[in-house]
Amino acid sequence: MKKFLQEKSKIIFLCLFIVMTCTACSNPRGTDGKTKVDEIIASEKIEVKKSLVNVTEIEDKKLSNEYKKLNDDDTITIEPTTFSEAIADGWFDGLIVWPIAQIINTIASYTDAGVGIIVTTLLIQLIVFMFTRKSQMSSQRMQEIQPEMQKIQNKYKDKTDDRSKMMMYQETQNLYKKYDIHPFGSILVMFIQLPIMMGMYYATMRAASVVYGSFFGLPFSGTPIDGFTQMQFGYIIIYVLMIVCQLLSMKMPQILKKIQDKKDHVKEKKYAEENQNSMMNTMNTTMYFSTAMIAFLYISWPIAMSFYWLVSSIIRIIQSVVLHKIMNKD
């Protein structure tokens, strides 16, 4: 164990460093769900209605007091955000959030904010996939073999002697070898992806084109609550699809595995199914709880965030299908 920790110390340190750094990032949204006016990243000089941004929770209190005197329909001028200004707020803002937000702004200038989010999210996912393809395949295999992992755990469930523990470890390692899984590589890629995913998330909130933008005429400043109270079906559809696709993206690896097992005529033995329902119930509870939290949070936030989450979920679903086909072919 000591030797293992020494070998993985660099990876562990890197993961902790990334998590601690990203956790320290300030929240660009105010308590009303709107982006703070001093957090907006613009590529050119723009004017935004006061009603679309948060002016009460910005750092410059003097400027905040001036903005409070404005009417909701009055405009606030926002100057272009330079790289030096972004990097001054930290490496995460300068090297990750700022470039992504500017890509969204650039693409949106030729189309609209919705297309900007779609294209940028797809581009970021493709770049990450190019560098982490093997690790992502390993990660998906890890999700797909959970039923087989559970069989091994059930087999040694009531055995606490050292020999049984060793046998369980060996069978687990053989399972990893069978499916060419490198568990710690999967963990590492998750932490490599984390700052990029968070960067995309923050960039979507802060990009000027999203704050005042729209998707095929649907303003991104509205909220799902507006959709339900005012019967604006565009908001309702995006919000509901976001929830459905989020659930489906998390379930997709297991769904694909079941379909493949059915094609391969894999039969489950009764003893191997012991406690299987309990494990699935726990996984489902966690999945439903996390989705419910997102749904609860986003219902009062601008629909732009629900739209971004919808796009990300759809891309993850497609990625799961593609990776499954590649692995099955191999």
Side-chain angles (χ1 to χ4, degrees):
M1 185 65 179
K2 184 178 180 181
K3 183 178 179 182
F4 169 80
L5 290 174
Q6 289 176 342
E7 291 175 350
K8 301 298 179 180
S9 60
K10 292 182 180 180
I11 294 177
I12 295 172
F13 175 78
L14 175 62
C15 294
L16 290 173
F17 174 75
I18 291 173
V19 172
M20 290 175 66
T21 304
C22 292
T23 303
C25 297
S26 59
N27 186 2
R29 285 202 183 279
T31 53
D32 57 1
K34 298 176 183 178
T35 303
K36 299 173 186 176
V37 69
D38 59 350
E39 293 281 350
I40 295 175
I41 297 176
S43 56
E44 59 185 4
K45 187 176 181 178
I46 61 169
E47 292 186 346
V48 181
K49 282 187 177 182
K50 176 192 170 184
S51 59
L52 299 181
V53 295
N54 178 292
V55 299
T56 60
E57 300 173 48
I58 61 177
E59 293 183 5
D60 191 333
K61 298 304 177 184
K62 183 179 179 181
L63 195 60
S64 176
N65 291 330
E66 291 181 11
Y67 288 151
K68 287 178 184 178
K69 298 175 184 177
L70 301 175
N71 296 320
D72 286 346
D73 290 333
D74 290 339
T75 58
I76 296 174
T77 301
I78 299 175
E79 298 292 336
T81 310
T82 64
F83 173 73
S84 58
E85 291 173 337
I87 200 70
D89 293 330
W91 71 267
F92 182 71
D93 279 357
L95 299 180
I96 299 180
V97 179
W98 183 85
I100 296 175
Q102 295 294 26
I103 292 173
I104 295 175
N105 288 335
T106 301
I107 296 173
S109 66
Y110 293 100
T111 54
D112 62 26
V115 175
I117 292 174
I118 293 172
V119 175
T120 305
T121 305
L122 183 59
L123 179 64
I124 295 298
Q125 292 287 353
L126 285 174
I127 292 174
V128 172
F129 181 75
M130 286 173 58
F131 291 98
T132 61
R133 175 177 174 272
K134 290 184 178 180
S135 296
Q136 288 197 46
M137 289 177 67
S138 181
S139 179
Q140 173 135 335
R141 286 195 186 101
M142 179 70 79
Q143 295 180 63
E144 292 190 6
I145 67 165
Q146 286 305 309
E148 294 182 57
M149 288 284 291
Q150 184 63 32
K151 294 176 190 177
I152 297 174
Q153 293 171 6
N154 290 338
K155 184 177 179 181
Y156 297 97
K157 183 182 64 172
D158 299 320
K159 299 176 181 179
T160 58
D161 57 283
D162 291 340
R163 183 176 182 279
S164 295
K165 290 180 180 179
M166 181 59 69
M167 291 293 292
M168 178 178 173
Y169 173 79
Q170 289 178 348
E171 288 190 32
T172 302
Q173 293 304 309
N174 288 336
L175 185 64
Y176 290 156
K177 185 177 180 180
K178 173 184 176 182
Y179 289 100
D180 191 25
I181 292 175
H182 307 283
F184 290 98
S186 303
I187 295 173
L188 178 60
V189 74
M190 180 183 70
F191 283 99
I192 291 175
Q193 287 179 305
L194 181 61
I196 298 175
M197 291 172 61
M198 291 183 67
M200 182 66 202
Y201 178 77
Y202 283 125
T204 303
M205 284 192 278
R206 298 176 61 184
S209 59
V210 176
V211 173
Y212 66 81
S214 62
F215 180 58
F216 287 108
L218 184 70
F220 273 154
S221 57
T223 66
I225 288 181
D226 296 334
F228 288 108
T229 57
Q230 302 173 19
M231 296 306 293
Q232 296 178 340
F233 293 104
Y235 291 156
I236 296 174
I237 291 171
I238 290 175
Y239 180 72
V240 172
L241 282 177
M242 181 268 291
I243 296 172
V244 172
C245 290
Q246 170 67 8
L247 289 170
L248 188 57
S249 68
M250 290 189 286
K251 293 280 289 183
M252 187 54 65
Q254 287 78 22
I255 293 173
L256 293 171
K257 185 65 165 59
K258 287 183 179 180
I259 294 173
Q260 191 60 46
D261 286 347
K262 190 174 182 180
K263 287 182 180 180
D264 296 339
H265 305 290
V266 176
K267 294 182 179 181
E268 295 285 348
K269 295 182 179 180
K270 290 185 177 181
Y271 75 86
E273 297 177 353
E274 183 183 355
N275 289 336
Q276 185 73 13
N277 290 334
S278 176
M279 176 191 175
M280 292 306 298
N281 288 337
T282 301
M283 292 176 62
N284 287 336
T285 299
T286 303
M287 177 182 67
Y288 293 139
F289 179 77
S290 62
T291 304
M293 288 294 292
I294 292 172
F296 175 76
L297 180 65
Y298 283 12
I299 196 168
S300 60
W301 281 26
I303 198 67
M305 298 315 300
S306 297
F307 183 80
Y308 162 68
W309 209 257
L310 168 62
V311 172
S312 298
S313 297
I314 292 174
I315 291 176
R316 286 197 299 271
I317 291 170
I318 295 172
Q319 182 175 292
S320 293
V321 174
V322 172
L323 285 175
H324 179 81
K325 288 185 176 296
I326 293 173
M327 291 185 295
N328 190 53
K329 183 179 180 181
D330 291 342

